[in-house]
């Protein structure tokens, strides 16, 4: 029997492997983009995730804050304003050694 309750319908994503990794967040609404001042999309580090939204540390602001020895800003983005979250993976992580069984090509 499933442990998902009826009131929790919809897709589920597990961001636990993406925490503290570089991601690209694309925002849904122009008003929210203007309010944050980050543009239509923002590259940064995923700091936290919960059922209300995600916390993002913009890459450019992080670099300048660390260079100036200042605190790094974290932005909270509610799920209603997130269009997508993209995490790039290196192709070498998906390549595996091919095994030939039986006849080998000549």
């Amino acid at each position: 029997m499933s442990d998902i309750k009826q009131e929790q319908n919809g897709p589920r994503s597990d961001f636990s492997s993406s925490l503290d990794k570089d991601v690209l967040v694309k925002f849904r609404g122009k008003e929210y983009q203007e309010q944050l001042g980050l543009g239509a999309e923002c590259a940064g580090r995923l700091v936290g995730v919960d059922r209300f939204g995600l916390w993002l540390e913009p890459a450019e602001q992080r670099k300048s804050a660390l260079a100036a020895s200042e605190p790094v800003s974290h932005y909270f983005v509610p799920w209603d304003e997130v269009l997508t979250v993209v995490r790039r993976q290196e192709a070498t992580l998906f390549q595996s050694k091919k095994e030939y069984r039986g006849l080998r090509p000549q």
Side-chain angles (χ1 to χ4, degrees), residues 7-106:
E7 67 264 7
Q8 295 177 341
N9 292 333
R12 301 280 177 245
S13 295
D14 181 17
F15 286 94
S16 61
S17 64
S18 296
L19 288 175
D20 292 327
K21 303 280 194 265
D22 291 330
V23 296
L24 178 71
V25 178
K26 295 189 180 190
F27 302 112
R28 185 179 305 277
K30 287 195 179 261
E31 293 176 12
Y32 193 74
Q33 295 169 20
E34 292 170 359
Q35 186 179 11
L36 288 180
L38 298 175
E41 60 186 52
C42 180
R45 189 171 71 101
L46 188 64
V47 179
V49 175
D50 69 5
R51 66 186 188 127
F52 300 110
L54 58 87
W55 283 265
L56 181 69
E57 192 176 78
E60 293 300 319
Q61 292 180 7
R62 183 175 196 266
K63 287 179 188 176
S64 61
L66 290 177
S69 298
E70 296 176 353
V72 179
S73 299
H74 291 179
Y75 288 78
F76 173 74
V77 183
W79 288 120
D80 291 343
E81 298 296 337
V82 175
L83 182 62
T84 189
V85 178
V86 179
R87 179 174 160 216
R88 307 229 187 270
Q89 295 280 357
E90 292 189 32
T92 57
L93 297 175
F94 297 102
Q95 295 173 350
S96 61
K97 184 178 176 184
K98 293 183 179 179
E99 286 187 34
Y100 290 100
R101 294 184 181 173
L103 298 175
R104 294 190 178 259
Q106 293 186 14

